[in-house]
Amino acid sequence: METQRSQTPDPLLDGAGLPSAGVEVTHVRGVIQIFLTRILREGMDPRDWESYLQTLSQGTQRLFRRKAAESEWIPMQALTEAVRKHPSSAAGTATALRGNLYADLMMTEKHRWMLKVMTPKLMVSQAPRVFSFYHHGGEMLVERLEPGRATVTLRASGPSPPWFGVLIPTWFKRALELSGGSAVTVAHEPPETAGEAHLHRYWLSWV
């Protein structure tokens, strides 16, 4: 009879002992790492990918050499490092601009059932719940929700500026479109304008 070997959990990857959730986004679900890997590998042959992995810290290398489980917690700092050290200087912005693909992944591949009942207003009302499921840390709130317009706040730190200023607005825009909205606009008000540290405000409109 074959005995099963016990494995020591990797503290970088298993999510055990997560810190108390605060304003900093410290971890994200594995599905986000899967999404990011798909983008970072575009245009790279296996040799180029291996050379790139060699530039990363050991913990981040281990992360990108395996396929993450969709629901496990992945350290945000590892994903930030991967984007920062990518050979393309535009990798960070390119990744952020794929917020529409991120919305497609979440709402058409992972949560296709949502589209049967989703409306723009319902999507906005559920956005904080979706955010808290996929991110450990930060707090999203719906500040105002009216027919055709809404204001959402996000108190968070940790990721790079394009994550707040490009990816999240693009995600909101695509998610509203997938929910049946048209003529969608999304404006981002950063903390410098909002006048409060870590406070990001998003102004949404649709018809």
Side-chain angles (χ1 to χ4, degrees), residues 114-127:
M114 293 172 62
L115 296 180
K116 297 178 181 179
V117 297
M118 193 63 68
T119 64
K121 190 174 181 180
L122 181 58
M123 190 285 295
V124 174
S125 72
Q126 293 300 305

Side-chain angles (χ1 to χ4, degrees), residues 11 14-20 26-27 73 136:
D14 67 2
L18 286 177
S20 299
T26 60
H27 293 74
W73 288 112
H136 182 75

Side-chain angles (χ1 to χ4, degrees), residues 106-172:
M106 290 171 60
M107 297 185 68
T108 61
E109 293 185 29
K110 305 302 176 188
H111 303 288
R112 187 178 290 106
W113 62 270
M114 293 172 62
L115 296 180
K116 297 178 181 179
V117 297
M118 193 63 68
T119 64
K121 190 174 181 180
L122 181 58
M123 190 285 295
V124 174
S125 72
Q126 293 300 305
R129 184 179 176 184
V130 172
F131 180 87
S132 64
F133 177 80
Y134 286 98
H135 305 82
H136 182 75
E139 182 183 28
M140 180 176 284
L141 297 171
V142 178
E143 192 173 65
R144 183 187 65 174
L145 180 54
E146 301 172 4
R149 60 180 180 173
T151 307
V152 178
T153 61
L154 174 60
R155 285 179 174 82
S157 67
S160 60
W163 190 83
F164 294 106
V166 184
L167 186 145
I168 290 184
T170 307
W171 182 88
F172 267 125

